[in-house]
Amino acid sequence: AEIVKRLNGICAQVLPYLSQEHQQQVLGAIERAKQVTAPELNSIIRQQLQAHQLSQLQALALPLTPLPVGLQPPSLPAVSAGTGLLSLSALGSQAHLSKEDKN
């Protein structure tokens, strides 16, 4: 609850500095995030962890053959908090919290 209060305060402080279009996008994302339930959040986190673990396994399996001198193996993008937030915003109107969940 404390993290939510702090993030909400940060959003409220930054919002006036954004363009009108970006303000609408942020307000929409905030409203969608309010509708995410705890089980859905756990599911998203589990999916992110599985994707990250899979990418790590793939990175370990990439150099099966020796690379020519001077070539580096390709790097894989890391899973970030931003990616998780995009996943949350993709849930959109699918999730609805009951009054008990909000408390």
Side-chain angles (χ1 to χ4, degrees):
E2 183 64 28
I3 293 171
V4 171
K5 288 178 189 176
R6 289 180 185 211
L7 287 174
N8 202 21
I10 291 169
C11 289
Q13 289 177 349
V14 172
L15 201 61
Y17 297 104
L18 300 176
S19 68
Q20 188 68 28
E21 179 184 348
H22 287 125
Q23 286 181 14
Q24 293 302 318
Q25 290 174 351
V26 169
L27 290 172
I30 289 171
E31 287 305 312
R32 287 189 302 274
K34 288 178 182 178
Q35 297 172 354
V36 176
T37 64
E40 289 170 325
L41 185 58
N42 287 332
S43 174
I44 291 167
I45 292 170
R46 195 171 20 261
Q47 289 172 359
Q48 294 287 325
L49 287 173
Q50 289 172 351
H52 184 67
Q53 290 169 347
L54 180 61
S55 69
Q56 287 179 334
L57 289 174
Q58 288 173 341
L60 292 173
L62 282 178
L64 294 177
T65 59
L67 292 173
V69 176
L71 286 182
Q72 297 291 328
S75 62
L76 296 174
V79 175
S80 67
T83 306
L85 292 175
L86 290 176
S87 297
L88 282 178
S89 66
L91 285 174
S93 61
Q94 295 176 359
H96 298 286
L97 287 176
S98 69
K99 289 184 180 182
E100 293 173 4
D101 290 339
K102 287 183 181 180
N103 291 335

